[in-house]
Amino acid sequence: MSIAEKMLFLRSWLRDPQLVGAVAPSSRALAALITSDIRSSSEPVIELGPGTGVFTQALLARGVPRERLVLVEADPAFARSLGQRFPGVRVLQMDAAHLGQTGVFFGRERASAIVSGIPLLAMPVEKAMAIIRGAFLRHLRADGALYQFTYLPRCPVPQALLERMGLHAVRIGFVAANLPPAFVYRFRRVNMAGGRVVGCEGREGLFA
């Protein structure tokens, strides 16, 4: 990451620490884990809170076409920088809490995956719930998955919301090589989670 990108991150963090949610950009190790399930080069993908674009770069490296990737970023400075850094990728400057109020980003086609860098546990529960509801009810297809990282060793989505929406969460890994160290979770609808019941479970170990 360039010095200019690091300074952009620092300025955005100083302006709104709750929105940024971390003291340093996500590491390449975290980007590798949170995008590890995404293999098809033709499936549409949405990224929430891309910040300086660490996950965006990993998604493009995995073969996601630029025209099949939409970035949702609330911070205007990050949004401008992303548009300059990733030409051909659609950048929407908007609050992800409004996902439930927008149209589908890919015409009639919904996303196969949503990768989220938004700090759900650092925001009011109502806002976090609006993001999850909007993602699943409006933008993800039936067999789609949402990937979310968190710095705390617990599920970043309240159990009550998992039950209400019929979602199953699995912790797919832990990244020590990140500041702070991070856990990654995958969320799916229960009927697409191999018959598992509503709730959250831990599974895999260290990813560095």
Side-chain angles (χ1 to χ4, degrees), residues 96-97 120 123-137 156-158 160-162 164-165:
L120 293 181
M123 61 181 55
V125 173
E126 295 78 10
K127 183 171 183 177
M129 291 175 68
I131 293 171
I132 298 299
R133 281 197 302 266
F136 275 92
L137 298 179
V157 176
L161 181 58
L162 293 177
R164 190 177 310 154
M165 296 192 61

Side-chain angles (χ1 to χ4, degrees), residues 89-107:
V89 175
R90 184 155 42 127
V91 181
L92 303 178
Q93 187 194 326
M94 60 172 281
D95 189 330
H98 299 154
L99 283 173
Q101 304 164 26
T102 71
V104 179
F105 296 149
F106 303 96

Side-chain angles (χ1 to χ4, degrees), residues 175-186:
V175 180
N178 193 74
L179 183 64
F183 301 84
V184 175
Y185 286 80
R186 179 179 61 230

Side-chain angles (χ1 to χ4, degrees), residues 10-96:
L10 179 59
R11 287 194 297 270
S12 294
W13 181 83
L14 290 172
R15 183 168 59 250
D16 194 341
Q18 186 181 75
L19 178 64
V20 176
V23 296
S26 298
S27 67
R28 291 183 180 179
L30 179 54
L33 177 58
I34 203 168
T35 63
S36 59
D37 279 357
I38 298 172
R39 306 190 185 282
S40 173
S41 61
S42 62
E43 304 287 353
V45 177
I46 297 170
E47 184 182 355
L48 307 180
T52 58
V54 178
F55 295 171
T56 310
Q57 187 63 55
L59 289 167
L60 293 173
R62 289 193 178 278
V64 178
R66 290 175 182 252
E67 68 274 11
R68 303 285 275 170
L69 179 60
V70 168
L71 311 181
V72 176
E73 176 56 60
D75 184 281
F78 279 151
R80 285 193 300 272
S81 176
L82 290 164
Q84 295 168 0
R85 185 180 176 193
F86 301 107
V89 175
R90 184 155 42 127
V91 181
L92 303 178
Q93 187 194 326
M94 60 172 281
D95 189 330

Side-chain angles (χ1 to χ4, degrees), residues 153-200:
R154 63 182 175 88
C155 187
V157 176
Q159 179 67 22
L161 181 58
L162 293 177
E163 294 175 357
R164 190 177 310 154
M165 296 192 61
L167 302 179
H168 178 78
V170 176
R171 188 177 67 241
I172 63 173
F174 169 69
V175 180
N178 193 74
L179 183 64
F183 301 84
V184 175
Y185 286 80
R186 179 179 61 230
F187 297 85
R188 280 191 174 134
R189 294 174 175 86
V190 169
N191 58 350
M192 295 295 170
R196 293 188 175 94
V197 299
V198 171
C200 192

